[in-house]
Amino acid sequence: MNLQEIASQVRRDIVRMVHGVKSGHPGGSLGCTDLLVSLYFKHMDLKTDENGQVVFNMDGNGEDLFFLSNGHISPVLYSVLAHRGYFPPAELATFRKLDSRLQGHPATAEHLPGIRIASGSLGQGLSVAIGTALGKKLNGDSHLVYVLMGDGEQQEGQIWEAATFAPHHKVDNLIAFVDFNGQQIDGPTEKVMNNRDLGAKYEAFGWTVLHMDGNDYNSLDTVLSEAKGLTGQGKPIVVITKTEMGQGVDFMMHTHKWHGTAPNDEQLAKALAQLPETLGDY
Amino acid sequence: MKQYPYTDKKDTRSGFGAGMTELGRTNPDVVTLCADLVGSLKIDTFIQENPDRFFQCGISEANMIGVSAGLAITGKIPFATTFANFGSSRVFDQVRQAVAYSNKNVKIAVSHAGLTLGEDGATHQVLEDLAMMKALPNMTVINPCDYNQTKAATIASAAYEGPVYLRFGRPVIPVFIPEDMPFEIGKAITLNEGTDVSIFATGHLVWEALQACQMLEDEGISAEIINIHTIKPLDTEAILASVQKTGCCVSAEEHQVNGGLGESIAHTLITNYLAPQEFVGVKDTFGESGTPDELMTKYGLKAANIVEAAKKAIARKTK
């Protein structure tokens, strides 16, 4: 099965999960689907057993790690983790419900395989990813650490503390992504609080900056390979990743309206009609 | 009363530094981070001996907490060090989400807690940190009382798996806890047995409590002095056993009475065994510039205040 087909199922899961509990964040989840599918199903080196089944260890020694800093797009992470084999896809039906391991925002308290830190209060994931990258170096582990942040999240001050720290300490086993969809809760990012020249800012802080179309599999493959090739050269890497919020569901695109809104029954049917079922609905 | 002779005076933060030096030599997983206060935290020797296991964070405490959580994920035992104000109130959300809720093995080790920070004034004199930290699920909160106990608490914190807030201070005070006294997280230490009143003290107030004990004895009052070095989990068994014997108590801490050790003790008493309690602590006010001793006197945290509170508690006992 190719990555696009997996992504189609993940997008079905996202809109169904959010519809099922009448809450959650479909827009950013749909936008980042292709990036997460590319990472987990192609580019990340994950620990597996002799049968190829992924194995989850909290310390992540001997494998690549991924952190979701903008935790509100948990639906895409949960669906990708489930289809990658970290837990049964049937569990996606419990999203945001009482006694579920699939909390509204990712958490470790319920011991969901694949999650190593709680995220949701924004601005913290980059620091955590840097810490694990330093830990990998101390442990003699040459694997990489990936972290995804939102573009609105770049307004948090802690991001820039971390952005200063990583080049200073030559954290060059780290690839950060900024989901540049230009939208946040109160409207277009450039109107709410303009993050102008984000790439230039990271460059000035001492990062290697790449740009990528996060909804184009050619761009994803080329730039992710390039980013991996640039690790180990004394500088952290950030990939400004242009995505379309709501990608794959026409009426959810080109607006911030679907940042944190669930579709009704009619809208769900309309969305699912655009997304072929490829791996079987949960 | 039992005597605690001392030959030396030292600051508790130097006890932390000594503990870190020992951990640097004995535990390869221990790493240290600091937000531009290496000299104040007394970790120079650790850094000198283990340069690869130290991460200077600059004046960026929020990032330091997140980086610490990440290091803990990979199996390291990070000690994130700064002043108590910047390791608690400044980074409460980071500590809450990335350390406490995520249950990471991070040790937040902080100096210059309370009024005894002195001349820098109220901006730096955090008196609310115990309240914040004890409110967090998964968080262990320790406030040792002298150099030796701080060193022991540092080493015990590294051996304990889970988030720890370890709070100590700046002033030079008597080293009165014997070097070989066992230290167990969550286990109170009875420094003097008595029958008329229980005095539960933490941090710098423990030495004051021992002075108060002597002053009370001179007036014919027998005080039981219990050193509560672990604010959470609280040794409720020791507290209840003592109060059931003495019938009243005083709590003494260099912290706001709102949310401090005293409130934890009051909660224990009101849900188990009703008895009069008096509170020695800062009474809902900020500090100010001054010498540590001047401040402790002005804000009522001296042995004389404990004596007064003890008498008040005893007077409230119903016959």
Side-chain angles (χ1 to χ4, degrees):
Chain A
M1 182 160 304
N2 66 33
L3 298 178
Q4 287 92 330
E5 287 169 321
I6 298 169
S8 183
Q9 185 65 49
V10 169
R11 288 190 162 98
R12 284 183 72 85
D13 291 349
I14 291 166
V15 288
R16 292 182 68 238
M17 287 163 75
V18 173
H19 169 266
V21 68
K22 296 185 173 52
S23 74
H25 299 78
S29 295
L30 292 165
C32 289
T33 297
D34 304 309
L35 171 62
L36 265 70
V37 167
S38 296
L39 286 171
Y40 275 93
F41 287 88
K42 180 160 187 190
H43 284 276
M44 281 171 71
D45 183 16
L46 300 168
K47 189 165 270 182
T48 54
D49 64 16
E50 60 276 12
N51 303 317
Q53 165 67 33
V54 290
V55 177
F56 178 70
N57 295 314
M58 180 52 84
D59 65 19
N61 278 332
E63 63 176 329
D64 291 343
L65 302 183
F66 174 80
F67 290 95
L68 182 67
S69 188
N70 47 334
H72 56 276
I73 67 165
S74 56
V76 62
L77 179 59
Y78 293 152
S79 172
V80 167
L81 288 175
H83 290 295
R84 191 65 184 82
Y86 285 95
F87 56 88
E91 203 170 335
L92 296 173
T94 70
F95 174 61
R96 284 182 171 243
K97 291 178 178 163
L98 196 64
D99 298 326
S100 173
R101 298 197 293 180
L102 280 62
Q103 292 294 296
H105 294 78
T108 57
E110 296 77 17
H111 306 288
L112 184 68
I115 308 295
R116 292 188 167 84
I117 194 88
S119 60
S121 176
L122 293 171
Q124 301 188 28
L126 184 57
S127 303
V128 174
I130 289 168
T132 56
L134 292 173
K136 282 198 175 296
K137 282 176 180 256
L138 288 171
N139 290 335
D141 178 356
S142 60
H143 283 82
L144 302 177
V145 179
Y146 296 93
V147 56
L148 172 60
M149 303 172 276
D151 53 354
E153 186 179 11
Q154 303 301 301
Q155 293 155 9
E156 288 283 6
Q158 187 181 344
I159 296 281
W160 302 100
E161 294 185 5
T164 308
F165 180 101
H168 181 84
H169 286 283
K170 300 188 167 51
V171 184
D172 59 4
N173 51 346
L174 173 75
I175 299 175
F177 303 98
V178 178
D179 173 22
F180 203 84
N181 61 26
Q183 307 285 348
Q184 59 189 112
I185 295 179
D186 279 352
T189 301
E190 63 179 11
K191 285 210 174 118
V192 176
M193 188 52 64
N194 199 338
N195 291 322
R196 62 172 62 84
D197 302 329
L198 202 51
K201 283 176 182 158
Y202 272 101
E203 208 166 325
F205 276 69
W207 292 63
T208 296
V209 180
L210 301 176
H211 294 268
M212 178 167 79
D213 183 337
N215 298 128
D216 177 303
Y217 281 88
N218 287 327
S219 176
L220 280 161
D221 201 37
T222 307
V223 180
L224 288 175
S225 299
E226 187 188 352
K228 286 195 278 187
L230 288 167
T231 57
Q233 296 182 17
K235 288 168 79 172
I237 295 150
V238 62
V239 185
I240 310 292
T241 305
K242 178 86 190 74
T243 70
E244 183 60 51
M245 202 183 240
Q247 177 75 23
V249 177
D250 56 8
F251 63 91
M252 290 186 176
M253 293 166 70
H254 312 296
T255 172
H256 62 88
K257 211 185 108 189
W258 293 93
H259 168 88
T261 310
N264 61 27
D265 294 350
E266 192 187 328
Q267 289 160 333
L268 174 70
K270 214 171 138 191
L272 293 179
Q274 301 171 36
L275 300 166
E277 183 180 347
T278 54
L279 295 168
D281 286 342
Y282 62 80
Chain B
M1 69 172 278
K2 194 168 176 338
Q3 293 301 310
Y4 289 87
Y6 67 91
T7 53
D8 206 0
K9 284 181 153 195
K10 287 182 183 174
D11 43 3
T12 51
R13 58 186 168 141
S14 287
F16 170 69
M20 291 310 294
T21 298
E22 186 168 324
L23 287 170
R25 292 170 186 166
T26 55
N27 191 335
D29 285 330
V30 169
V31 299
T32 307
L33 303 91
C34 190
D36 197 30
L37 289 167
V38 164
S40 295
L41 269 295
K42 305 290 182 188
I43 50 175
D44 313 72
T45 307
F46 179 96
I47 296 169
Q48 211 169 30
E49 295 183 356
N50 314 278
D52 297 341
R53 288 196 271 143
F54 170 69
F55 300 101
Q56 173 61 265
C57 294
I59 311 165
S60 306
E61 295 82 5
N63 180 57
M64 176 169 71
I65 298 299
V67 172
S68 299
L71 281 159
I73 288 171
T74 63
K76 300 296 154 197
I77 306 171
F79 279 73
T81 69
T82 179
F83 284 174
N85 188 36
F86 311 135
S88 59
S89 60
R90 187 176 183 93
V91 292
F92 188 71
D93 184 49
Q94 284 78 14
V95 173
R96 180 178 179 273
Q97 176 170 285
V99 178
Y101 183 38
S102 297
N103 206 9
K104 294 303 172 212
N105 194 22
V106 173
K107 319 302 169 186
I108 300 159
V110 294
S111 183
H112 291 53
L115 291 174
T116 51
L117 168 142
E119 295 81 352
D120 278 348
T123 52
H124 288 50
Q125 290 161 349
V126 74
L127 293 163
E128 303 82 22
D129 53 333
L130 298 179
M132 283 181 272
M133 291 298 151
K134 80 175 195 189
L136 289 173
N138 295 336
M139 185 63 77
T140 290
V141 183
I142 308 174
N143 189 186
C145 65
D146 81 341
Y147 174 94
N148 284 338
Q149 190 169 83
T150 307
K151 183 180 176 190
T154 303
I155 291 162
S157 295
Y160 168 83
E161 172 90 25
V164 172
Y165 183 76
L166 178 62
R167 176 205 215 228
F168 39 90
R170 176 179 180 235
V172 168
I173 59 158
V175 182
F176 61 95
I177 295 285
E179 205 176 346
D180 58 355
M181 183 182 270
F183 181 91
E184 196 184 327
I185 292 173
K187 196 95 191 115
I189 298 170
T190 303
L191 293 174
N192 188 61
E193 291 187 17
T195 52
D196 297 331
V197 58
S198 305
I199 299 174
F200 301 113
T202 193
H204 293 137
L205 270 288
V206 177
W207 178 248
E208 296 298 326
L210 286 172
Q211 306 314 297
C213 186
Q214 185 62 60
M215 291 154 75
L216 288 163
E217 188 176 274
D218 292 346
E219 296 187 46
I221 296 167
S222 164
E224 180 144 296
I225 308 298
I226 298 187
N227 167 206
I228 308 283
H229 49 70
T230 307
I231 310 296
K232 187 185 161 193
L234 192 63
D235 191 346
T236 54
E237 212 174 293
I239 289 166
L240 287 169
S242 180
V243 177
Q244 277 162 9
K245 179 173 67 171
T246 62
C248 70
C249 72
V250 172
S251 55
E253 59 195 310
E254 189 182 353
H255 187 271
Q256 299 286 358
V257 292
N258 292 329
L261 167 66
E263 280 197 358
S264 290
I265 291 169
H267 178 265
T268 301
L269 294 180
I270 207 159
T271 49
N272 291 281
Y273 183 80
L274 282 177
Q277 178 183 350
E278 292 294 327
F279 297 76
V280 172
V282 176
K283 307 278 167 47
D284 199 21
T285 180
F286 289 103
E288 63 183 288
S289 291
T291 67
D293 200 54
E294 286 168 348
L295 291 163
M296 296 294 266
T297 303
K298 176 166 178 178
Y299 291 88
L301 304 183
K302 298 292 283 184
N305 306 103
I306 297 172
V307 167
E308 192 190 338
K311 289 179 184 169
K312 226 167 136 186
I314 290 167
R316 286 173 54 211
K317 275 201 262 188
T318 47
K319 295 284 183 251

